[in-house]
Amino acid sequence: AGHSHREEWLGCCSLRNLKAWVPILSWLPRYNIRWLQMDLLAGITVGMTTVPQALAYAEVAGLPVEYGLYSAFMGGFIYSLLGTSKDVTLGPTAIMSLLCFSVVGGQPHRAVLLSLLCGLIQAVMALLRLGFLLDFISFPVIKGFTCAAAVTIGFGQIKNILGLHGIPSQFFLEVYYTFYRIPEARIGDVILGLLCLILLVLLVFMKATVDPGDSPDSKYTRVSRKLVWTVATMRNALVVVAASLIAFSWDAYGHHVFTLTGETSQGLPPFRPPPTSDTTANGTIGFGEGLAVIPFMGLLESIAIAKAFASQNNYRIDANQELLAIGVTNIMGSFVSAYPVTGSFGRTAVNSQTGVCTPAGGIVTSAIVLLSLAFLMPAFYYIPKASLAAVIICAVAPMVDFHVVAKMWRIRRLDLLPFAVTFLLSFWQVQYGIIGGVATSGVLLLYNVARPQIKVSDHGVLLMELASGLSFPATEHLSCIIHTEALQAASPRSVVLDCHHVSTIDYSVISELKDLLRQFKLREVELVFCRLQEVK
C-alpha cells in the first residue's frame, strides 16, 4: 500500500511539474466552444493590427519589411504552449526594433543571429531561475529609456513623412539633416503622411470615447458603438490599406508621387538553421554590449506587460516561465529569419479588450501573418512609406510620458538622476543609456547600503538606532560615527547599539564590532547590543 501511495504521489508531482513547464496542459482539457469563439475574434483583431505594425517596425530595425512578418508569427505558436498569460502577444516592437538596429546596423543575417543568441541567453536565465536579475533595472531607468526611445523612433520617421532619402541614422545627425533638407520634401508623401496621422489620431480619440462594454438603452446604439470601437481598433490596417489604394491609383495613371515600400520577397521564409557566426572580410564582429542589453530589455518589457494584464484580469503569471517562453520564441524565430521579439503592450491591450480567453488567440494571429506572407506580399509593393511612418509615430507617442518627472520630483528627487542619465545617453546609443542608467541606480543603491541612517539619542548613555540593515560596506560609516560621538568625546560615553534591523551579518561586520568592543574596554566604557536577532 505504501509503495502504491508513493507511486501515486510521484505521478502527481510529475504531472504538476509537466504542467508548470508546459502550461497548455492546464487549460487545453477545459477548452470549449465559447473560448474558441472569443479567441478567434481576438486573434483576427490582433492579426489585423500586427501585419501593418510588423511591416513598420522592420523599417525601424533597418531591415526589409518582410522581416517584420518573419518575426511576427513564431511567438503565437510558441507562447500558446509555454506562456502563462492569456493576454500577452509576442512579436516585433518599437523598442526591440530600435535596439536591434543599434546593434546589427540593418544587416539581416546579423539580426537573425542576434535572435538566436538572445533566445539562448533568455532560455538559460529561465532554466537557472535568474528572473530576479530584472529587479535591478529600476523604474526611472525604464521610463528614461522608453521616453528617449519614443522620441528617437518617432523623429526617425519624419524623413519618411517628408519622403527624404539618405538621412544618417545617428540621432543628432538625423535631426540636423532632416531640417536641413526640408526643401527637398516630396509634396505627395507629406500630404499623405499628414492625412494618415490625422486619421489615426481621430480614430484613437474615437476609441477612447467609446466603450463597447457600456450598455445603452438602444440596441442600435450598442451595435453602433461596437462597430466604431472595432474600426478604431483596426485603425492601423485600415489606414495602410486606404493609403495603398490611393498609391496604386496614382501609380496606375503614371503619377509616381509617393515613396513606396517596393519589391518584397514573396512566400513563407525557409525553415533553416540560423547563421552561427558573424564574419566579414575584416574578421569576426562581436555584438558587444548589445548582448548585455537586448535580452534583458526583451524580458523586462514582456514580463512587465504580462504582470500588468494579469493584475488587471485577476490571474497570476510565472515570471521564469515567461522567460522560457520568450527565449524559445527567439530561438525558434531565428530558424525562420526573425529578429528578436518581445511582448507588445499595444497588441496585448487589443487582445485583452477583445475578450481573449486563452493563449490560443495567438495561433489565430500567427495564421493571419502566415497568410499575409503567402498571398499578400505583391500588394505590399504599393504601401507608401509615409503611411507606415504615421503608424509608428502614433504607436510610440504614448510612450513619451514626461508626467513621471513631476511624480519623481514629488516622491524622491534623487530618482531623477538615473532617469536623466538614461534619457540623455540613449540619444547617443540606446544601449549606453540603459547601461548608464542601471549603473547610476546601482551607485545610489550601494550608497544607501554603505551609508545607512543612524539615529543618535542621549539617555545618559548614547542610543544608536540603525534605520536599515548592517552589512560590510556600512561598517566603516558606523565605526566613524561611534568614534566621533562616543570614543573621541571629551569624556568617553557608553553606547547602546539597537540591532533590530540587523537580519544578516558577515565576517567584516563581526571583525569591526570586535575591534570596537576592544577600544571601548580600553577607555573603560561599554558597548551594549540590544534587540539582537538570531542569524541563521
Side-chain angles (χ1 to χ4, degrees):
H3 181 68
S4 174
H5 177 72
R6 189 182 302 110
E7 286 184 345
E8 182 181 347
W9 183 82
L10 289 172
C12 289
C13 286
S14 299
L15 181 60
R16 190 181 302 115
N17 289 336
L18 185 60
K19 286 183 176 180
W21 286 106
V22 188
I24 190 175
L25 298 177
S26 298
W27 57 263
L28 188 60
R30 298 180 286 115
Y31 205 74
N32 55 54
I33 293 297
R34 180 183 168 277
W35 285 6
L36 177 61
Q37 291 172 339
M38 298 306 295
D39 287 347
L40 281 172
L41 175 62
I44 292 170
T45 305
V46 175
M48 294 294 287
T49 303
T50 299
V51 172
Q53 280 196 342
L55 297 172
Y57 290 147
E59 290 272 346
V60 175
L63 302 171
V65 292
E66 61 266 24
Y67 278 82
L69 295 179
Y70 295 165
S71 307
F73 66 84
M74 187 59 75
F77 296 121
I78 300 297
Y79 196 83
S80 64
L81 295 173
L82 302 178
T84 59
S85 168
K86 72 180 182 65
D87 300 300
V88 166
T89 62
L90 299 182
T93 66
I95 287 177
M96 289 302 286
S97 299
L98 178 64
L99 285 169
C100 181
F101 176 76
S102 69
V103 173
V104 306
Q107 300 178 49
H109 73 284
R110 298 192 73 203
V112 174
L113 175 57
L114 182 62
S115 178
L116 173 65
L117 297 176
C118 287
L120 289 172
I121 292 172
Q122 291 161 339
V124 168
M125 286 180 63
L127 296 175
L128 296 179
R129 302 294 180 183
L130 297 179
F132 71 90
L133 292 176
L134 300 178
D135 297 338
F136 289 94
I137 303 179
S138 66
F139 182 78
V141 173
I142 297 169
K143 275 299 180 182
F145 169 67
T146 53
C147 287
V151 173
T152 302
I153 294 168
F155 190 87
Q157 296 306 309
I158 299 296
K159 61 179 181 289
N160 289 326
I161 296 283
L162 299 175
L164 300 176
H165 303 280
I167 301 293
S169 58
Q170 207 279 332
F171 180 74
F172 297 106
L173 291 176
E174 186 177 49
V175 171
Y176 172 77
Y177 281 103
T178 298
F179 284 109
Y180 180 75
R181 294 178 56 187
I182 282 179
E184 302 174 25
R186 293 167 58 99
I187 298 300
D189 287 323
V190 173
I191 294 174
L192 183 64
L194 291 177
L195 286 175
C196 289
L197 275 173
I198 293 169
L199 184 56
L200 285 167
V201 170
L202 288 175
L203 289 171
V204 168
F205 279 113
M206 286 173 60
K207 184 178 179 180
T209 55
V210 175
D211 183 357
D214 288 349
S215 300
D217 297 334
S218 168
K219 181 180 179 181
Y220 173 78
T221 306
R222 188 162 58 249
V223 172
S224 300
R225 291 166 69 87
K226 182 69 175 179
L227 179 62
V228 170
W229 183 86
T230 303
V231 169
T233 299
M234 296 190 294
R235 60 188 177 274
N236 292 333
L238 296 176
V239 167
V240 170
V241 169
S244 301
L245 291 175
I246 293 172
F248 175 77
S249 301
W250 281 83
D251 204 65
Y253 286 100
H255 302 295
H256 308 293
V257 295
F258 305 113
T259 303
L260 304 179
T261 297
E263 294 289 346
T264 56
S265 299
Q266 185 174 356
L268 303 178
F271 189 87
R272 61 190 177 196
T276 55
S277 64
D278 180 30
T279 58
T280 65
N282 296 327
T284 302
I285 302 176
F287 289 108
E289 66 279 351
L291 285 180
V293 171
I294 295 182
F296 284 92
M297 286 308 301
L299 295 175
L300 183 67
E301 190 174 1
S302 188
I303 290 176
I305 292 167
K307 285 183 176 179
F309 283 90
S311 174
Q312 177 180 311
N313 295 321
N314 302 313
Y315 62 89
R316 293 187 63 80
I317 64 155
D318 182 338
N320 281 300
Q321 185 64 26
E322 292 293 304
L323 302 189
L324 182 64
I326 189 173
V328 174
T329 295
N330 280 322
I331 292 171
M332 296 305 298
S334 68
F335 285 80
V336 291
S337 302
Y339 67 87
V341 302
T342 186
S344 164
F345 187 87
R347 297 193 294 274
T348 298
V350 171
N351 207 25
S352 177
Q353 291 167 0
T354 315
V356 71
C357 294
T358 71
I363 298 176
V364 180
T365 298
S366 297
I368 290 175
V369 175
L370 288 173
L371 289 173
S372 299
L373 277 166
F375 302 109
L376 297 181
M377 294 306 284
F380 294 159
Y381 177 94
Y382 292 99
I383 296 178
K385 288 192 174 184
S387 65
L388 294 179
V391 167
I392 294 172
I393 291 171
C394 287
V396 300
M399 291 163 51
V400 185
D401 180 18
F402 287 114
H403 295 295
V404 74
V405 174
K407 294 177 182 177
M408 284 189 284
W409 178 265
R410 290 197 304 269
I411 296 170
R412 185 172 182 258
R413 295 176 184 178
L414 206 55
D415 283 337
L416 290 172
L417 184 58
F419 173 87
V421 169
T422 306
F423 181 77
L424 295 174
L425 284 181
S426 292
F427 291 114
W428 176 27
Q429 286 284 343
V430 286
Q431 58 267 38
Y432 294 162
I434 298 167
I435 293 171
V438 170
T440 305
S441 294
V443 169
L444 294 177
L445 182 64
L446 291 175
Y447 181 82
N448 290 330
V449 172
R451 295 293 183 269
Q453 292 184 357
I454 301 174
K455 181 181 177 183
V456 181
S457 54
D458 193 341
H459 300 275
V461 297
L462 293 179
L463 175 63
M464 296 189 179
E465 298 177 74
L466 291 163
S468 58
L470 181 64
S471 55
F472 72 89
T475 54
E476 183 62 31
H477 178 60
L478 175 64
S479 178
C480 182
I481 289 180
I482 290 176
H483 273 85
T484 302
E485 299 288 339
L487 296 180
Q488 295 176 1
S491 176
R493 315 258 328 256
S494 295
V495 172
V496 175
L497 188 61
D498 188 341
C499 300
H500 177 63
H501 293 290
V502 180
S503 57
T504 59
I505 202 162
D506 55 36
Y507 181 80
S508 299
V509 176
I510 293 291
S511 178
E512 187 66 32
L513 292 177
K514 183 180 178 181
D515 184 63
L516 282 172
L517 282 168
R518 182 180 59 81
Q519 294 185 45
F520 269 80
K521 187 174 181 181
L522 289 173
R523 289 167 175 77
E524 298 180 347
V525 288
E526 293 187 60
L527 174 60
V528 178
F529 303 94
C530 72
R531 297 206 289 179
L532 287 167
Q533 299 186 46
E534 182 181 358
V535 179
K536 297 181 180 179

mmCIF file of all heavy atoms in Angstrom, residues 7 18 40 85 95-96 149 211 237 244 267 344 375 407 423 465 525 535:
data_model
loop_
_atom_site.group_PDB
_atom_site.id
_atom_site.type_symbol
_atom_site.label_atom_id
_atom_site.label_comp_id
_atom_site.label_asym_id
_atom_site.label_seq_id
_atom_site.Cartn_x
_atom_site.Cartn_y
_atom_site.Cartn_z
ATOM 1 N N GLU A 7 3.983 5.788 -5.488
ATOM 2 C CA GLU A 7 3.895 5.921 -6.950
ATOM 3 C C GLU A 7 2.851 6.958 -7.348
ATOM 4 O O GLU A 7 3.050 7.750 -8.264
ATOM 5 C CB GLU A 7 3.563 4.567 -7.578
ATOM 6 C CG GLU A 7 4.727 3.574 -7.581
ATOM 7 C CD GLU A 7 4.352 2.300 -8.307
ATOM 8 O OE1 GLU A 7 3.151 2.073 -8.536
ATOM 9 O OE2 GLU A 7 5.277 1.531 -8.645
ATOM 10 N N LEU A 18 5.126 18.883 -15.053
ATOM 11 C CA LEU A 18 4.950 18.966 -16.501
ATOM 12 C C LEU A 18 4.020 20.119 -16.863
ATOM 13 O O LEU A 18 4.273 20.863 -17.813
ATOM 14 C CB LEU A 18 4.396 17.641 -17.031
ATOM 15 C CG LEU A 18 4.275 17.519 -18.564
ATOM 16 C CD1 LEU A 18 5.644 17.677 -19.218
ATOM 17 C CD2 LEU A 18 3.638 16.193 -18.939
ATOM 18 N N LEU A 40 -10.964 33.313 -31.498
ATOM 19 C CA LEU A 40 -10.964 33.613 -32.936
ATOM 20 C C LEU A 40 -11.148 35.103 -33.173
ATOM 21 O O LEU A 40 -10.424 35.711 -33.980
ATOM 22 C CB LEU A 40 -12.080 32.828 -33.642
ATOM 23 C CG LEU A 40 -11.800 31.356 -33.937
ATOM 24 C CD1 LEU A 40 -13.069 30.667 -34.456
ATOM 25 C CD2 LEU A 40 -10.680 31.219 -34.976
ATOM 26 N N SER A 85 0.268 33.791 -19.570
ATOM 27 C CA SER A 85 -0.689 34.894 -19.640
ATOM 28 C C SER A 85 -1.615 34.672 -20.826
ATOM 29 O O SER A 85 -1.157 34.344 -21.917
ATOM 30 C CB SER A 85 0.043 36.230 -19.789
ATOM 31 O OG SER A 85 -0.862 37.265 -20.132
ATOM 32 N N ILE A 95 10.645 49.279 -29.445
ATOM 33 C CA ILE A 95 11.881 49.338 -28.666
ATOM 34 C C ILE A 95 12.864 48.275 -29.112
ATOM 35 O O ILE A 95 14.054 48.540 -29.320
ATOM 36 C CB ILE A 95 11.565 49.214 -27.168
ATOM 37 C CG1 ILE A 95 10.919 50.512 -26.672
ATOM 38 C CG2 ILE A 95 12.819 48.904 -26.360
ATOM 39 C CD1 ILE A 95 10.500 50.487 -25.221
ATOM 40 N N MET A 96 12.401 47.025 -29.274
ATOM 41 C CA MET A 96 13.299 45.956 -29.694
ATOM 42 C C MET A 96 13.826 46.204 -31.106
ATOM 43 O O MET A 96 14.969 45.867 -31.422
ATOM 44 C CB MET A 96 12.589 44.605 -29.621
ATOM 45 C CG MET A 96 12.352 44.132 -28.199
ATOM 46 S SD MET A 96 13.863 43.978 -27.222
ATOM 47 C CE MET A 96 14.556 42.501 -27.931
ATOM 48 N N ALA A 149 13.520 56.438 -26.324
ATOM 49 C CA ALA A 149 13.277 55.571 -27.476
ATOM 50 C C ALA A 149 12.104 56.090 -28.300
ATOM 51 O O ALA A 149 12.140 56.086 -29.535
ATOM 52 C CB ALA A 149 13.005 54.140 -27.008
ATOM 53 N N ASP A 211 -16.794 52.886 -25.291
ATOM 54 C CA ASP A 211 -16.517 51.651 -24.551
ATOM 55 C C ASP A 211 -17.532 50.613 -24.975
ATOM 56 O O ASP A 211 -18.728 50.755 -24.704
ATOM 57 C CB ASP A 211 -16.616 51.909 -23.046
ATOM 58 C CG ASP A 211 -16.273 50.665 -22.234
ATOM 59 O OD1 ASP A 211 -16.019 49.616 -22.856
ATOM 60 O OD2 ASP A 211 -16.265 50.756 -20.996
ATOM 61 N N ALA A 237 -4.471 48.861 -39.816
ATOM 62 C CA ALA A 237 -4.693 48.119 -41.054
ATOM 63 C C ALA A 237 -5.535 48.928 -42.036
ATOM 64 O O ALA A 237 -5.235 48.987 -43.239
ATOM 65 C CB ALA A 237 -5.368 46.782 -40.752
ATOM 66 N N SER A 244 -2.569 52.537 -49.440
ATOM 67 C CA SER A 244 -2.066 51.693 -50.535
ATOM 68 C C SER A 244 -2.958 51.799 -51.768
ATOM 69 O O SER A 244 -2.468 51.823 -52.907
ATOM 70 C CB SER A 244 -1.976 50.235 -50.076
ATOM 71 O OG SER A 244 -1.111 50.107 -48.963
ATOM 72 N N GLY A 267 6.254 34.838 -50.248
ATOM 73 C CA GLY A 267 6.208 33.483 -49.738
ATOM 74 C C GLY A 267 6.728 33.378 -48.318
ATOM 75 O O GLY A 267 7.267 34.325 -47.739
ATOM 76 N N SER A 344 4.255 42.874 -26.810
ATOM 77 C CA SER A 344 3.829 44.187 -27.300
ATOM 78 C C SER A 344 2.698 44.709 -26.429
ATOM 79 O O SER A 344 1.665 44.049 -26.287
ATOM 80 C CB SER A 344 3.348 44.070 -28.752
ATOM 81 O OG SER A 344 2.594 45.210 -29.125
ATOM 82 N N PHE A 375 0.263 35.166 -49.495
ATOM 83 C CA PHE A 375 -0.593 35.642 -50.584
ATOM 84 C C PHE A 375 -0.594 37.155 -50.802
ATOM 85 O O PHE A 375 -0.979 37.612 -51.883
ATOM 86 C CB PHE A 375 -2.044 35.196 -50.336
ATOM 87 C CG PHE A 375 -2.197 33.710 -50.202
ATOM 88 C CD1 PHE A 375 -2.488 33.141 -48.979
ATOM 89 C CD2 PHE A 375 -2.029 32.878 -51.305
ATOM 90 C CE1 PHE A 375 -2.633 31.764 -48.844
ATOM 91 C CE2 PHE A 375 -2.169 31.503 -51.185
ATOM 92 C CZ PHE A 375 -2.462 30.942 -49.950
ATOM 93 N N LYS A 407 6.154 63.435 -10.913
ATOM 94 C CA LYS A 407 5.881 62.486 -9.831
ATOM 95 C C LYS A 407 7.166 62.127 -9.081
ATOM 96 O O LYS A 407 7.172 62.057 -7.845
ATOM 97 C CB LYS A 407 5.238 61.220 -10.404
ATOM 98 C CG LYS A 407 3.850 61.454 -10.990
ATOM 99 C CD LYS A 407 3.293 60.176 -11.605
ATOM 100 C CE LYS A 407 1.932 60.428 -12.235
ATOM 101 N NZ LYS A 407 1.408 59.201 -12.916
ATOM 102 N N PHE A 423 17.972 58.821 -20.127
ATOM 103 C CA PHE A 423 17.319 59.575 -21.202
ATOM 104 C C PHE A 423 18.348 60.224 -22.122
ATOM 105 O O PHE A 423 18.271 60.100 -23.358
ATOM 106 C CB PHE A 423 16.402 60.631 -20.585
ATOM 107 C CG PHE A 423 15.646 61.459 -21.590
ATOM 108 C CD1 PHE A 423 14.537 60.947 -22.245
ATOM 109 C CD2 PHE A 423 16.053 62.754 -21.885
ATOM 110 C CE1 PHE A 423 13.844 61.701 -23.175
ATOM 111 C CE2 PHE A 423 15.371 63.526 -22.802
ATOM 112 C CZ PHE A 423 14.260 62.992 -23.454
ATOM 113 N N GLU A 465 20.374 53.994 16.834
ATOM 114 C CA GLU A 465 19.416 53.132 16.150
ATOM 115 C C GLU A 465 19.716 53.128 14.650
ATOM 116 O O GLU A 465 19.734 54.188 14.010
ATOM 117 C CB GLU A 465 17.994 53.630 16.377
ATOM 118 C CG GLU A 465 17.572 53.627 17.844
ATOM 119 C CD GLU A 465 16.176 54.206 18.017
ATOM 120 O OE1 GLU A 465 15.206 53.509 17.666
ATOM 121 O OE2 GLU A 465 16.074 55.357 18.476
ATOM 122 N N VAL A 525 34.564 52.178 29.064
ATOM 123 C CA VAL A 525 33.133 52.380 28.834
ATOM 124 C C VAL A 525 32.601 51.119 28.140
ATOM 125 O O VAL A 525 33.363 50.223 27.764
ATOM 126 C CB VAL A 525 32.854 53.637 27.971
ATOM 127 C CG1 VAL A 525 33.105 54.904 28.773
ATOM 128 C CG2 VAL A 525 33.707 53.629 26.704
ATOM 129 N N VAL A 535 20.704 34.939 13.892
ATOM 130 C CA VAL A 535 21.146 34.887 12.497
ATOM 131 C C VAL A 535 21.427 33.439 12.143
ATOM 132 O O VAL A 535 22.201 32.764 12.813
ATOM 133 C CB VAL A 535 22.423 35.736 12.297
ATOM 134 C CG1 VAL A 535 22.874 35.644 10.850
ATOM 135 C CG2 VAL A 535 22.155 37.178 12.687
#
